[in-house]
Amino acid sequence: MMQAVSVVLYLALAPLAGALLDGIDRKLSARMQGRKGPPLLQPFYDLGKLFSKQMLAVNSVQMFLLLSYLIFLAVAGSLLFAGEDLLMCMFMLSTADMFLVMAASSDSSPFSTLGAGREMIQIMAYEPMTLLLAVGFYLATGSFQVGEIVRQGSSAVAVMPGFLLGLLFIMAVKLRKSPFDLSTSHHAHQEIVKGLTTEMAGPTLAVMNIAEYYEMTLMLGLVGLFFVNSDPLSWPLAVLACLAAYFLEILWDNVSARVRWRTLLDGCWVVTLLTGGLNGLILMLIH
C-alpha cells in the first residue's frame, strides 16, 4: 500500500516540485547576475501558455516519442520512490534518453539534428557514472532494492562520498547546466539556437518541460538516497542535502562557460574513474 501511495505522490507532485525548483533556479540565477528575474511561479505560467497554443508538430511521431520520453522518466522515478530495484531505475532512465534523441532526430532541422548528436555524446559521458552508482549502492548495502538501502543503520554517504561527488558532477549534464549544456539550453546564449528542442513548440514543448521536471526530481531523489537511513531524522537531512546540491548546480551554472564536447566527454570519464571507480574499488576491498 505504501508503495502505491509513493508512486501516486511522485507522479502527481514531481512536476509541481520540478516547476517550483525551476522557478527558484531562475530567481537565484537572476540575482547572481544582478537582475530582478521572473516571478517564482513563471514556469507554471509558461506551461499554461504552451498548452493553450495550437498543437503543431513537425511530423507524426515527434509527440509520440516525447510522450515515451516522459513515460519512461515517470516510471524510472516511480521505481526509485517506491523502493524498487535501483539498477532497473537506471536502465529506464537510459531508455528515456534514447527516446529524446529520436524525437530530436525525427525532423530535418540542422539545429535539432546537431543537438541530438550532442545529446548522444552527453549520454556517453554520464552513462558510466549512473551504472556505477547502482553498483556502488550494492557494494555498500548488499542490495539493489531502494527499500533495503533506506533501512540501513547508517547513511550510504559515509562509505560512498566518491559516488556522491561523481553524481553531483554529472547532474550538471542531466540538468542542462553550464558548462555542460551542449545539446540544449534554458538560456539565450546557446549557439545552436535551442538545440534538440528547436522544432518543439506549444504542447510538444510543454511535454518536454514536464519530462525534465520528472528527471530533475529523480536526480535529486538519488542525492537524497545517500543520506536516508532507518533513523527518521535522516529524512529532513536528505531534503536539506538535495536543496544544497541543487543550489551548487545553480551556482556552477552561473560561474562557468560552456566547454567543448571533447572536454565534456574526457572530463566525465576522468571524474567517473577518480570518484566512482576508486570508491567502488575501496568498497570491494573492505567488504
Side-chain angles (χ1 to χ4, degrees):
M1 184 54 130
M2 287 301 298
Q3 288 181 322
V5 172
S6 298
V7 170
V8 171
L9 288 176
Y10 172 75
L11 294 177
L13 299 181
L16 301 178
L20 183 60
L21 287 172
D22 188 21
I24 295 173
D25 183 350
R26 298 185 190 185
K27 202 71 175 177
L28 287 178
S29 295
R31 294 299 185 183
M32 290 177 184
Q33 298 168 14
R35 299 182 289 110
K36 181 179 179 180
L40 187 62
L41 300 181
Q42 186 62 48
F44 295 98
Y45 304 148
D46 293 341
L47 286 176
K49 186 175 182 179
L50 289 173
F51 276 119
S52 68
K53 292 182 177 293
Q54 182 181 357
M55 177 63 192
L56 293 175
V58 294
N59 53 57
S60 59
V61 300
Q62 187 182 66
M63 186 54 136
F64 168 77
L65 293 171
L66 282 175
L67 285 174
S68 299
Y69 172 58
L70 170 62
I71 291 170
F72 273 92
L73 282 176
V75 172
S78 297
L79 289 173
L80 177 67
F81 285 91
E84 295 298 324
D85 195 311
L86 181 61
L87 189 59
M88 181 59 69
C89 172
M90 294 305 179
F91 285 147
M92 297 295 286
L93 183 60
S94 301
T95 305
D97 293 333
M98 297 312 300
F99 277 103
L100 176 60
V101 172
M102 289 189 290
S105 304
S106 63
D107 61 76
S108 58
S109 168
F111 301 111
S112 184
T113 303
L114 182 57
R118 291 186 178 184
E119 186 72 14
M120 283 295 298
I121 295 172
Q122 292 181 183
I123 293 173
M124 291 171 56
Y126 63 69
E127 197 64 24
M129 187 65 228
T130 59
L131 296 179
L132 273 179
L133 184 64
V135 175
F137 275 107
Y138 178 81
L139 292 174
T141 64
S143 176
F144 284 117
Q145 296 295 317
V146 175
E148 295 185 19
I149 294 173
V150 301
R151 287 194 293 269
Q152 298 292 314
S154 59
S155 298
V157 69
V159 293
M160 298 176 60
F163 285 101
L164 178 59
L165 291 175
L167 175 61
L168 293 176
F169 190 86
I170 66 166
M171 271 182 62
V173 187
K174 298 291 288 179
L175 299 182
R176 310 193 186 285
K177 302 294 187 186
S178 296
F180 302 139
D181 52 343
L182 273 69
S183 64
T184 189
S185 175
H186 298 145
H187 308 294
H189 58 255
Q190 177 62 259
E191 84 282 2
I192 54 172
V193 191
K194 287 293 289 180
L196 52 81
T197 61
T198 300
E199 296 299 325
M200 301 177 189
T204 306
L205 184 58
V207 169
M208 170 69 182
N209 289 341
I210 293 175
E212 288 189 328
Y213 295 152
Y214 273 113
E215 185 172 33
M216 182 190 304
T217 310
L218 170 57
M219 297 305 296
L220 291 177
L222 291 174
V223 174
L225 190 60
F226 280 88
F227 296 89
V228 174
N229 57 50
S230 57
D231 186 355
L233 294 178
S234 66
W235 288 88
L237 175 62
V239 173
L240 291 175
C242 291
L243 294 176
Y246 193 65
F247 175 78
L248 289 176
E249 297 294 342
I250 296 173
L251 180 62
W252 195 11
D253 183 28
N254 284 277
V255 300
S256 303
R258 186 182 299 112
V259 299
R260 296 178 181 271
W261 70 267
R262 186 73 192 189
T263 306
L264 163 68
L265 193 62
D266 294 343
C268 284
W269 284 358
V270 169
V271 169
T272 297
L273 180 62
L274 294 178
T275 58
L278 288 178
N279 200 161
L281 179 60
I282 293 173
L283 286 175
M284 292 175 63
L285 293 176
I286 65 177
H287 283 74

